[in-house]
Amino acid sequence: MINDEIVPLAEAMISAHDRSIYFGDGVYEAIRYCEGKLFAMEQHLERLKNSLRKMDMLARVDLEQVRRRVDRAVSESAITDALVYFQISRGTALRNHDYSDDWQPSFLLTIRAYNDRREQATVITHPDWRWKGCDIKSLNLLPNVLAKHAATKAGAYEALLVDENGLITEATSSNAMLVKGDVLQTAPLTANILPGITRAFLLGLAGRVGLQVREESFTVEEALAADELIITGTGNEVMGVTHVDGKPVADGKVGPCTQRFHKLLIEAMKGS
Ligand code: PDD
């Protein structure tokens, strides 16, 4: 979908002067559509609003129009279990770092069948080279792209990003958390991470899994000493991390809390 038009993928064109091409100047969301329902749509729209506000884009974007476009796209698609991606850029203009205040947003949306999820993941560690605005879901993902490819080259699935203090912030497209004893631990939102919708969902469910929440960053050593290490995200759902840089986490298998969280997430997706 380009703005209000649904077109065949091969015909989906945006201007070469779109600011998303020149500068990655825009924001995005990825939302799960499962059995006819968009999961946590309100939370995604709220996060989008925050991203737009911090990018000085909010005044030009009609959030209800975004909602209508997403609803229309999923209802016209034949896919029942899908990942809906959309981005909103700061419009089209000849290349100039500055922007005029009368820009018009450009909107691009794709829907893909969700069918390639894996149960478990191996990860590498990689320096977190990102900027200080990681709470904004911006199109600028170059450090994430490079770290993800480093993981692939190492035969791993994801990369845990490690900041200059040796603390894990998150992964390239997921949040990271660990279970140790009866504690579910994850980096606080002040640690320059994306406020993941799946992360928030798990923190809300921790009590039902018999865990207390501790929002405190952890090191690679602490991750390796955990009972369970988990990555969470709209694309990955809840995935058990079995190895970090080739070393096993606990017995190198997906743990019971991870499995329970995943089951609860799927139930919520199907029921919401
Ligand atoms: N990524 N951290 C980062 C850096 C992410 O890009 C994502 C999501 C998450 C998890 O957030 P959520 O639970 O709201 O999906 C954490 C999406 C799926 C993507 O880039 O495709």
Side-chain angles (χ1 to χ4, degrees):
M1 179 184 244
I2 306 283
N3 297 320
D4 276 317
E5 263 191 89
I6 295 175
V7 291
L9 196 53
E11 289 164 31
M13 303 289 172
I14 61 167
S15 166
H17 298 298
D18 196 277
R19 288 181 64 92
S20 63
I21 294 176
Y22 286 136
F23 302 110
D25 188 358
V27 297
Y28 78 103
E29 278 294 332
I31 306 173
R32 184 68 179 279
Y33 179 67
C34 188
E35 296 186 0
K37 284 158 255 154
L38 286 158
F39 179 63
M41 181 61 170
E42 298 316 312
Q43 290 91 321
H44 283 280
L45 284 176
E46 193 55 38
R47 183 171 66 188
L48 175 69
K49 193 173 169 185
N50 286 333
S51 296
L52 289 166
R53 186 185 301 111
K54 290 187 171 164
M55 295 269 289
D56 185 29
M57 291 174 70
L58 188 56
R60 298 246 150 226
V61 177
D62 177 349
L63 288 167
E64 285 311 308
Q65 182 187 55
V66 172
R67 182 202 297 276
R68 285 195 300 275
R69 284 174 173 168
V70 174
D71 283 345
R72 186 181 147 222
V74 293
S75 70
E76 291 196 19
S77 154
I79 307 174
T80 53
D81 195 354
L83 201 59
V84 180
Y85 169 89
F86 68 83
Q87 63 175 58
I88 304 170
S89 87
R90 203 188 309 270
T92 299
L94 290 178
R95 186 175 184 276
N96 178 355
H97 287 66
D98 196 11
Y99 51 89
S100 71
D101 285 328
D102 62 351
W103 61 274
Q104 288 301 320
S106 48
F107 181 86
L108 178 159
L109 178 150
T110 62
I111 300 181
R112 283 159 69 166
Y114 185 85
N115 51 19
D116 55 358
R117 183 191 169 268
R118 52 178 85 192
E119 282 287 298
Q120 58 186 58
T122 57
V123 301
I124 60 162
T125 54
H126 192 278
D128 190 342
W129 287 329
R130 300 173 305 160
W131 71 327
K132 296 190 173 87
C134 294
D135 57 324
I136 301 171
K137 206 159 169 58
S138 100
L139 296 175
N140 273 276
L141 291 173
L142 195 49
N144 309 53
V145 166
L146 294 176
K148 175 77 177 187
H149 193 64
T152 304
K153 275 203 297 199
Y157 173 72
E158 248 287 25
L160 295 178
L161 304 175
V162 183
D163 72 13
E164 57 278 12
N165 299 314
L167 298 169
I168 294 168
T169 50
E170 57 185 329
T172 70
S173 64
S174 23
N175 291 106
M177 42 187 84
L178 63 74
V179 176
K180 178 85 176 167
D182 66 353
V183 172
L184 177 68
Q185 185 174 344
T186 192
L189 296 183
T190 48
N192 197 30
I193 60 167
L194 185 80
I197 308 296
T198 323
R199 172 190 180 280
F201 182 80
L202 260 69
L203 297 189
L205 282 180
R208 279 180 65 187
V209 180
L211 299 171
Q212 304 169 37
V213 172
R214 182 184 301 158
E215 289 185 75
E216 197 179 303
S217 300
F218 53 86
T219 63
V220 177
E221 291 67 39
E222 286 166 327
L224 277 165
D227 299 329
E228 300 181 39
L229 185 61
I230 309 173
I231 51 175
T232 68
T234 300
N236 292 327
E237 296 179 346
V238 177
M239 219 179 260
V241 176
T242 60
H243 293 78
V244 179
D245 292 330
K247 297 177 206 126
V249 177
D251 61 0
K253 298 202 173 77
V254 179
C257 297
T258 310
Q259 288 173 357
R260 179 109 175 89
F261 276 127
H262 188 237
K263 192 161 166 283
L264 290 169
L265 177 69
I266 299 301
E267 278 171 17
M269 264 179 202
K270 295 188 171 169
S272 65

